[in-house]
Amino acid sequence: MQKTLTFLLLFLLLFLSVHLQLQCEAAAINVDNDDLIEKICRKTPFHDLCVATLQPIANTPGSNIKGLASSVANIVLGNATDTLHYIEGLIKQTSDPKEERALAECAELYISVVKYELPQAIEALSKGQYGFANYGISDAAKLVDQCDKGFPGKSGSPLSDRNKLIHSLSQIAVAIINVLAKG
Ligand SMILES: *[C@@H]1O[C@H](CO)[C@@H](O)[C@H](O)[C@H]1NC(C)=O
């Protein structure tokens, strides 16, 4: 009876210590990533947005700057794709021809961003062609800015918040890639 108890107790201790060790390792990974994110985001023009964007995706071990850059570029692409769908939805709803024209121009701009500019930039980034990657992302940010300009009337662009977010995320991506390029 006593032997069984001792055995159980030992087993429990062993289990607890392994469990604790695993938890400590996980915590250490998070601290490392938080440090990296903080360091990188300080070099971008939108520190808080940068941290908020990177923190949820950077909890995997071995995060590095290139991985973070590519994650941000993919988030820009995700937002741009989402916005393109949103524009297509607005086009279906509007009855104002001027508004419809402005939306159609935005859709065209977003199609180049989603189909060409960003995918090419992401591929360039993966090959270490940082200059080319930044060129594509900056170009995407410029195209997105143009989208706001075509809307008539006082109420202006129904897309300005989305455009602004994509513009800011692009600038964050460019800043991180600049850090990479400097090595
Ligand atoms: C758009 O960007 C926000 C802010 O970084 C991010 O949290 C969100 O996941 C992105 N959306 C898509 C569809 O990628």
Side-chain angles (χ1 to χ4, degrees):
M1 181 64 195
Q2 220 172 0
K3 252 187 192 164
T4 322
L5 252 178
T6 316
F7 182 74
L8 266 176
L9 214 65
L10 274 176
F11 183 77
L12 197 70
L13 272 174
L14 190 72
F15 175 79
L16 275 178
S17 72
V18 167
H19 189 70
L20 263 178
Q21 196 185 349
L22 284 177
Q23 273 197 336
C24 288
E25 278 170 16
I29 286 165
N30 278 336
V31 167
D32 280 354
N33 282 341
D34 283 353
D35 279 355
L36 180 64
I37 290 171
E38 181 56 37
K39 220 171 84 191
I40 300 280
C41 287
R42 249 185 270 140
K43 296 187 175 157
T44 74
F46 304 101
H47 171 273
D48 294 357
L49 176 63
C50 174
V51 172
T53 301
L54 286 179
Q55 221 144 34
I57 53 176
N59 49 12
T60 44
S63 284
N64 56 32
I65 303 179
K66 190 168 176 182
L68 295 179
S70 136
S71 297
V72 177
N74 277 297
I75 286 173
V76 182
L77 179 59
N79 268 277
T81 306
D82 195 52
T83 300
L84 177 58
H85 295 149
Y86 181 70
I87 296 169
E88 286 163 353
L90 290 180
I91 290 176
K92 283 190 196 129
Q93 283 168 28
T94 187
S95 50
D96 175 354
K98 276 189 191 149
E99 171 112 356
E100 190 179 340
R101 193 174 323 128
L103 286 169
E105 272 164 26
C106 281
E108 220 171 286
L109 294 167
Y110 266 98
I111 286 170
S112 347
V113 166
V114 165
K115 290 229 153 99
Y116 308 107
E117 301 285 350
L118 291 177
Q120 279 172 6
I122 289 167
E123 204 197 326
L125 176 59
S126 75
K127 291 185 191 154
Q129 300 166 340
Y130 302 132
F132 191 68
N134 266 352
Y135 181 80
I137 297 172
S138 306
D139 225 35
K142 272 185 221 147
L143 291 174
V144 165
D145 276 353
Q146 277 180 42
C147 157
D148 267 338
K149 299 200 172 111
F151 290 90
K154 278 193 248 53
S155 48
S157 165
L159 299 166
S160 57
D161 286 349
R162 283 168 177 269
N163 292 336
K164 212 179 287 164
L165 175 61
I166 293 169
H167 191 98
S168 306
L169 289 171
S170 303
Q171 283 183 276
I172 291 171
V174 166
I176 298 177
I177 294 169
N178 279 336
V179 173
L180 260 181
K182 279 184 202 136

